[in-house]
Amino acid sequence: RMFHDDELEESEKFYVGQPRVLLLIYALYNTLVARSEMVCYFVIILNHMVSASMITLVLPILIFLWAMLSVPRPSKRFWMTAIVYTEVAIVIKYFFQFGFFPWNKYVDYTKDKPYHPPNIIGIEKKEGYVHYDLVQLLALFFHRSILKCHGLWDEDEKGDSSSNKEDTDDELSLTGGRRDSSASLKSVNLAASVESIHVHFPEQQTAIRRKSSSSVSQLSHRSSFSSHRSKRGSTSTRNSSQKGSSVLSIKQKSRKELLMEKFREQMIKAKAFTIKKTLQVYVPIRQFFYNLIHPDYSAVTDVYVLMFLADTVDFIIIVFGFWAFGKHSAAADITSSLSEDQVPEAFLVMVLIQFGTMVVDRALYLKKTVMGKVIFQVILVFGIHFWMFFILPGVTERKFSQNTVAQLWYFVKCVYFGLSAYQIRCGYPTRVLGNFLTKSYNYVNLFLFQGFRLVPFLTELRAVMDWVWTDTTLSLSSWICVEDIYAHIFILKCWRESEKRYPQPRGQKKKKVVKYGMGGMIIVLLICIVWFPLLFMSLIKSVAGITNKPLDVSITITLGGYQPIFTMSAQQSQLKDLNQTGFNAFLGSYRGNTAALQFLEGYGKEDITLADLEGNSNSLWTISPPSREKMIQGLLDFSAEFTVVLSWSIQRPGLLNCIICLRILSPLITLEPCSQRPTALKSHNSHIKVYPYYIKAPSDSLAKPIKQLLTDCRWENITVSLVKNVSDEGVREWWVLNQLGKRYKTSEESLELFIFSDKVSPPSLGFLAGYGIMGLYASVVLVIGKFVREFFSGISHSIMFEELPNVDRILKLCTDIFLVRETGELELEEDLYAKLIFLYRSPETMIKWTREK
């Protein structure tokens, strides 16, 4: 073996024999070394996310607009700029930590103010002010050491010196002319100063070399001419001063002219110096972007999919965390806001901006314009940084470093900026053929592509945008037709490839794994859909139900439609919960009553509330005398019906004003004796069997009496009496009610009312539970059944286009249409499209094209 080395083999054996953990550490370290510039970028962005100040804002912008756009890698000048800038930032932050600065005396008061000037600049006093900067400096020095180890640190200087060797003679003559012109700068005009600065571009280098000698000669001629003019001017000035030495006014005037002439010369010097320094900054920047847009070579790549995924993640962050981009909306929920038909302004602006950037990015990708992408990158970098770190803190009234959702959104956007810079540096692909999911034919691509087509309006929007920004002769309908045929053929190709990978022998029955796996899953799914409403409504309350106790219980009694005689309500302490002993005693009282026990099985002690109502009405009986006489006459008429209306109102959280009125006719009212009907209005007692005693409060707005718990399903007795109080203020009357068969005996007049509250569904599932069983069957089951029916019917009409044994030729025809469109062969595109349409119109030709080879 020619290149055999025993030491290398022993080293390799030693390395392979190390533990796996140590090998993993080696691999991680090698990855860190290979991507050390990415580590520096990550630390710089992380430092800016934590600090969010103007001091740390400079380096991230330089990363996205300089470092990541440099070909083939960032230059030494960038890394030296980053190192020096980080060191200066550390010194500045350390200097402003002293307490004698006035803004450092009220740190606790101003630390959370986003527009406090020290917070914006980044010189505020805080703990750990320099930790991330030191980590950043450490990462930069680590990358510098890696570049030096590989000899890449001084590569730019060596390349510049070697490239400039051939132009040494021309440059020397040109610099000689510049020195002559600079020496005579006192008398040279502005045009000569500007002409002495030359800008070199790649396509103009040969022309500059050819004209260097002529330009130098012209420059020397101009400098000699200007020096001759200056000498002549100085001689004339000297002669004029001698001639006017006798007159004082003329002498003063000539001195002013000398001062003005010197001032003009200084202004010319300042203008020339300003233009020179401006061009020294402008020319390299212009040259940098010119080389970026017109590269000598480019490794074409396509990372649009990754950029689209980054934008999609940002879109999801905006939807589910939109409250972080608005004011006074920290506790808001997008679903609750949209359910109330309210569109938050911050949510709307962020969604539209994000969606707009995605559309513009798609247009630039289809047009393949690198210049437009560079302009878009510059606008987006400056715009987003200005908005995130200067506008957003004022809108949300909290610092960017305290807004976690905004930090996450910014980090994903930085990933997008990095991918976008990589796309600019490498250039757009020359051909864009089909969807990125159609590059391979397997189950993963098949299901992802079908999921992509299920997103509402996404397929249509993509097709229209592709048609708008792609050169083609097809109409929009023809374009959509080609896209639909290509999608259908791709799906068939995936199924045919799966049949080749997992062939089914002829004459052999299907395996039970397939039948019970696929068929059994479909059966279970269909059964679940059919019985979903019943299962959902029964489990939503028994398993995940929430106890909904009443807040207020009110009772009103009215005689014959006149003014109510009794109104009373129970709240707070008057609403009592049953303990376990009381609940057991309550159940024991119905032992042997099957109907009552069956009803009580669905309730626990936490679902039963005892309302203790005061017996005295809380309002006076202020009936007018005519109505009073009319009521007495109605009570005296035993042949006519006289109604007693008992209504109750149960108010609960989320279900307010649940009111039901129960009307009882006179045969159901018992006044003992019957002759006491009129005397009931004269402070005598009367017994009325009208009190329900047990009320069921379901989840809807209809409260009902529970007859299963009543004795023989009859109402309870209550005593009704009218009390009259005569005083100096006048005669005051009110009614007093007392329940006879109370469970908890008390000496005072009172009423007891047991409320059985049904459990309600949790708020997260309230939108489904609100439909009810019939509503779920009508809105969910029938709609799903309609879609399922489409898979089991109408198959015979599509056999001609579905059962294609071999779709390779049709797929190649679609790909050829895409290819000739990208190459600009538009006439050939029309011919191939006509061929595709003819193929689908001719069944015989389709059969010939789709035969197995």
Side-chain angles (χ1 to χ4, degrees):
R1 290 179 294 178
M2 185 179 299
F3 301 103
H4 176 69
D5 192 344
D6 295 335
E7 293 184 358
L8 290 178
E9 284 193 358
E10 291 179 1
S11 175
E12 185 68 22
K13 290 180 181 179
F14 175 77
Y15 177 77
V16 174
Q18 297 299 317
R20 292 184 179 272
V21 178
L22 191 58
L23 292 177
L24 178 62
I25 295 174
Y26 287 156
L28 293 177
Y29 175 74
N30 292 331
T31 305
L32 190 67
V33 171
R35 293 290 181 264
S36 56
E37 72 277 1
M38 292 297 175
V39 176
C40 296
Y41 299 157
F42 174 75
V43 174
I44 291 172
I45 294 172
L46 182 64
N47 184 19
H48 182 52
M49 289 172 58
V50 174
S51 301
S53 60
M54 293 179 63
I55 293 180
T56 58
L57 179 62
V58 176
L59 289 182
I61 294 179
L62 292 181
I63 286 175
F64 300 129
L65 298 182
W66 183 8
M68 288 188 172
L69 296 178
S70 299
V71 179
R73 65 185 62 86
S75 61
K76 173 185 176 181
R77 180 177 297 177
F78 169 78
W79 295 116
M80 287 303 300
T81 303
I83 292 173
V84 173
Y85 186 84
T86 305
E87 292 173 347
V88 172
I90 291 173
V91 173
I92 291 175
K93 288 185 178 181
Y94 173 76
F95 177 72
F96 284 101
Q97 295 300 309
F98 293 104
F100 54 78
F101 291 101
W103 56 81
N104 289 337
K105 298 179 180 178
Y106 308 99
V107 176
D108 296 334
Y109 177 71
T110 60
K111 65 179 181 179
D112 293 332
K113 289 186 176 181
Y115 281 166
H116 186 54
N119 295 341
I120 296 177
I121 300 174
I123 56 176
E124 74 277 11
K125 184 178 181 180
K126 62 180 180 180
E127 296 292 335
Y129 63 95
V130 81
H131 290 170
Y132 286 92
D133 294 282
L134 293 176
V135 174
Q136 176 179 318
L137 189 61
L138 181 63
L140 291 172
F141 277 117
F142 173 74
H143 179 67
R144 176 173 173 267
S145 65
I146 296 298
L147 291 180
K148 283 195 170 185
C149 289
H150 293 84
L152 300 175
W153 182 252
D154 298 326
E155 183 186 25
D156 299 332
E157 297 178 357
K158 294 178 181 178
D160 294 339
S161 61
S162 62
S163 62
N164 292 331
K165 275 184 179 180
E166 58 184 11
D167 298 333
T168 304
D169 299 333
D170 297 337
E171 293 296 332
L172 286 174
S173 60
L174 187 61
T175 52
R178 288 177 182 172
R179 288 172 183 172
D180 294 339
S181 61
S182 61
S184 59
L185 191 60
K186 294 182 180 180
S187 59
V188 76
N189 56 5
L190 181 60
S193 300
V194 176
E195 288 176 0
S196 64
I197 300 171
H198 295 270
V199 182
H200 297 273
F201 293 98
E203 71 276 4
Q204 298 174 355
Q205 288 180 357
T206 56
I208 290 174
R209 292 194 189 100
R210 293 173 183 175
K211 297 181 180 180
S212 59
S213 58
S214 61
S215 63
V216 172
S217 62
Q218 292 176 4
L219 186 60
S220 60
H221 176 70
R222 289 176 182 175
S223 61
S224 61
F225 178 71
S226 60
S227 61
H228 178 69
R229 286 180 56 190
S230 63
K231 290 178 181 179
R232 187 173 61 186
S234 61
T235 305
S236 61
T237 305
R238 197 162 47 245
N239 293 333
S240 62
S241 62
Q242 290 175 359
K243 288 179 182 180
S245 59
S246 59
V247 185
L248 183 61
S249 59
I250 298 177
K251 187 176 181 180
Q252 291 178 351
K253 184 177 180 181
S254 62
R255 186 178 298 173
K256 290 181 179 179
E257 288 178 354
L258 287 173
L259 292 175
M260 291 300 296
E261 186 176 353
K262 290 182 180 180
F263 178 74
R264 291 191 190 98
E265 290 180 359
Q266 294 299 326
M267 288 298 296
I268 291 173
K269 286 183 181 181
K271 289 180 180 180
F273 180 78
T274 304
I275 292 175
K276 181 179 178 181
K277 292 299 181 183
T278 304
L279 289 178
Q280 286 178 355
V281 176
Y282 167 73
V283 170
I285 295 176
R286 180 182 176 185
Q287 188 71 25
F288 175 79
F289 284 103
Y290 183 87
N291 295 335
L292 188 65
I293 297 173
H294 304 88
D296 295 334
Y297 61 90
S298 61
V300 175
T301 187
D302 188 358
V303 292
Y304 173 75
V305 176
L306 299 178
M307 289 191 294
F308 179 77
L309 291 177
D311 278 335
T312 305
V313 173
D314 271 341
F315 191 84
I316 295 173
I317 293 173
I318 292 172
V319 171
F320 291 98
F322 79 103
W323 50 266
F325 304 99
K327 184 178 180 181
H328 304 308
S329 56
D333 184 14
I334 185 61
T335 56
S336 61
S337 299
L338 295 180
S339 62
E340 296 173 359
D341 297 331
Q342 296 179 357
V343 180
E345 295 180 359
F347 170 75
L348 180 62
V349 171
M350 287 297 300
V351 166
L352 292 179
I353 291 176
Q354 184 66 37
F355 193 76
T357 56
M358 296 171 70
V359 172
V360 173
D361 214 1
R362 178 69 180 177
L364 295 173
Y365 174 72
L366 294 173
K367 298 300 290 185
K368 306 179 185 64
T369 168
V370 179
M371 180 181 293
K373 184 64 177 176
V374 170
I375 297 173
F376 185 65
Q377 174 89 344
V378 173
I379 295 174
L380 211 57
V381 167
F382 280 105
I384 286 181
H385 282 86
F386 180 75
W387 187 84
M388 292 295 292
F389 298 99
F390 296 98
I391 304 298
L392 182 64
V395 174
T396 59
E397 294 186 352
R398 57 182 179 272
K399 297 171 63 176
F400 178 82
S401 58
Q402 298 173 349
N403 196 336
T404 307
V405 177
Q407 288 178 327
L408 180 61
W409 186 89
Y410 173 72
F411 181 77
V412 178
K413 205 64 179 179
C414 288
V415 175
Y416 166 81
F417 286 146
L419 294 172
S420 181
Y422 180 70
Q423 183 72 80
I424 294 171
R425 190 170 73 243
C426 297
Y428 279 113
T430 55
R431 295 180 180 89
V432 180
L433 303 178
N435 196 309
F436 73 97
L437 294 174
T438 60
K439 303 304 180 184
S440 59
Y441 311 103
N442 49 44
Y443 281 121
V444 176
N445 287 64
L446 173 62
F447 294 138
L448 288 177
F449 182 72
Q450 289 182 335
F452 171 80
R453 289 172 58 85
L454 288 176
V455 178
F457 301 107
L458 185 58
T459 304
E460 294 81 1
L461 185 62
R462 175 184 175 274
V464 175
M465 286 194 301
D466 290 359
W467 179 75
V468 170
W469 289 302
T470 303
D471 297 332
T472 180
T473 60
L474 301 180
S475 63
L476 180 59
S477 59
S478 301
W479 181 284
I480 295 174
C481 179
V482 173
E483 292 289 333
D484 184 65
I485 292 174
Y486 179 72
H488 180 241
I489 295 300
F490 169 75
I491 294 173
L492 291 180
K493 176 66 175 177
C494 291
W495 287 117
R496 297 300 171 264
E497 290 296 325
S498 65
E499 291 173 359
K500 292 179 181 179
R501 293 190 186 98
Y502 311 102
Q504 174 69 24
R506 294 185 59 186
Q508 184 177 354
K509 63 180 181 180
K510 292 291 183 181
K511 297 180 180 179
K512 292 184 177 180
V513 176
V514 177
K515 297 182 70 175
Y516 286 100
M518 181 183 297
M521 184 175 64
I522 295 175
I523 291 172
V524 172
L525 183 61
L526 292 177
I527 291 175
C528 291
I529 292 174
V530 172
W531 299 109
F532 167 74
L534 295 178
L535 293 173
F536 179 78
M537 296 303 294
S538 62
L539 296 177
I540 192 64
K541 296 180 180 179
S542 61
V543 177
I546 300 175
T547 303
N548 194 18
K549 295 183 178 181
L551 300 176
D552 179 86
V553 178
S554 302
I555 287 182
T556 302
I557 298 179
T558 305
L559 293 179
Y562 296 96
Q563 188 176 2
I565 65 172
F566 181 83
T567 56
M568 180 52 65
S569 62
Q571 298 174 352
Q572 296 178 356
S573 61
Q574 297 173 340
L575 299 176
K576 304 175 182 178
D577 298 330
L578 290 182
N579 52 24
Q580 190 62 39
T581 304
F583 181 70
N584 294 334
F586 189 87
L587 293 177
S589 62
Y590 290 101
R591 189 172 300 166
N593 190 343
T594 307
L597 293 177
Q598 183 179 2
F599 173 80
L600 292 174
E601 282 183 357
Y603 297 91
K605 63 181 182 61
E606 67 277 0
D607 301 326
I608 303 175
T609 303
L610 174 61
D612 189 7
L613 298 165
E614 174 68 27
N616 294 278
S617 177
N618 58 5
S619 62
L620 296 174
W621 193 45
T622 56
I623 190 172
S624 62
S627 298
R628 185 188 185 102
E629 293 297 330
K630 207 168 188 180
M631 180 186 294
I632 294 174
Q633 292 177 4
L635 290 172
L636 291 174
D637 189 2
F638 293 99
S639 60
E641 295 180 347
F642 195 85
T643 60
V644 176
V645 180
L646 174 66
S647 62
W648 56 84
S649 171
I650 301 175
Q651 299 181 4
R652 295 178 297 173
L655 293 174
L656 302 181
N657 300 328
C658 303
I659 304 174
I660 182 66
C661 296
L662 178 66
R663 298 180 182 275
I664 308 298
L665 297 179
S666 58
L668 300 178
I669 297 177
T670 304
L671 296 177
E672 298 178 357
C674 292
S675 59
Q676 289 184 0
R677 253 196 192 187
T679 61
L681 302 179
K682 299 178 182 179
S683 303
H684 289 277
N685 294 337
S686 298
H687 300 284
I688 305 176
K689 285 189 176 182
V690 72
Y691 194 63
Y693 199 23
Y694 305 104
I695 299 295
K696 178 183 178 182
S699 57
D700 55 11
S701 60
L702 190 63
K704 304 174 183 178
I706 307 171
K707 295 184 179 180
Q708 296 93 322
L709 302 182
L710 297 174
T711 304
D712 298 331
C713 295
R714 299 177 63 184
W715 311 114
E716 295 290 334
N717 287 328
I718 59 173
T719 301
V720 181
S721 60
L722 180 63
V723 178
K724 181 182 293 186
N725 183 12
V726 181
S727 63
D728 298 337
E729 299 178 357
V731 179
R732 291 179 294 181
E733 295 178 326
W734 68 90
W735 291 83
V736 179
L737 273 66
N738 187 27
Q739 183 180 353
L740 298 180
K742 292 184 290 187
R743 288 182 175 270
Y744 300 94
K745 303 294 182 180
T746 56
S747 58
E748 299 177 354
E749 290 86 356
S750 63
L751 299 175
E752 289 182 353
L753 188 65
F754 283 89
I755 296 97
F756 291 78
S757 301
D758 286 352
K759 295 183 183 297
V760 296
S761 60
S764 58
L765 299 175
F767 68 99
L768 281 177
Y771 289 105
I773 296 178
M774 299 306 298
L776 287 177
Y777 268 109
S779 60
V780 178
V781 177
L782 295 182
V783 173
I784 296 176
K786 183 179 179 181
F787 284 101
V788 172
R789 180 61 58 86
E790 292 181 357
F791 291 96
F792 289 85
S793 63
I795 301 177
S796 59
H797 304 291
S798 60
I799 291 177
M800 175 181 172
F801 306 104
E802 295 288 345
E803 299 300 328
L804 302 178
N806 188 0
V807 295
D808 292 344
R809 294 177 181 174
I810 306 176
L811 191 63
K812 186 177 182 302
L813 180 58
C814 295
T815 308
D816 290 341
I817 293 176
F818 300 151
L819 183 61
V820 298
R821 180 190 299 154
E822 292 293 330
T823 55
E825 301 289 340
L826 300 183
E827 292 182 0
L828 187 56
E829 180 192 11
E830 289 185 355
D831 297 338
L832 293 178
Y833 173 71
K835 187 176 181 179
L836 181 64
I837 296 301
F838 175 77
L839 184 63
Y840 269 81
R841 291 179 59 200
S842 175
E844 296 181 358
T845 310
M846 179 69 78
I847 292 173
K848 293 179 181 179
W849 269 57
T850 56
R851 285 175 180 171
E852 290 288 351
K853 297 179 181 179

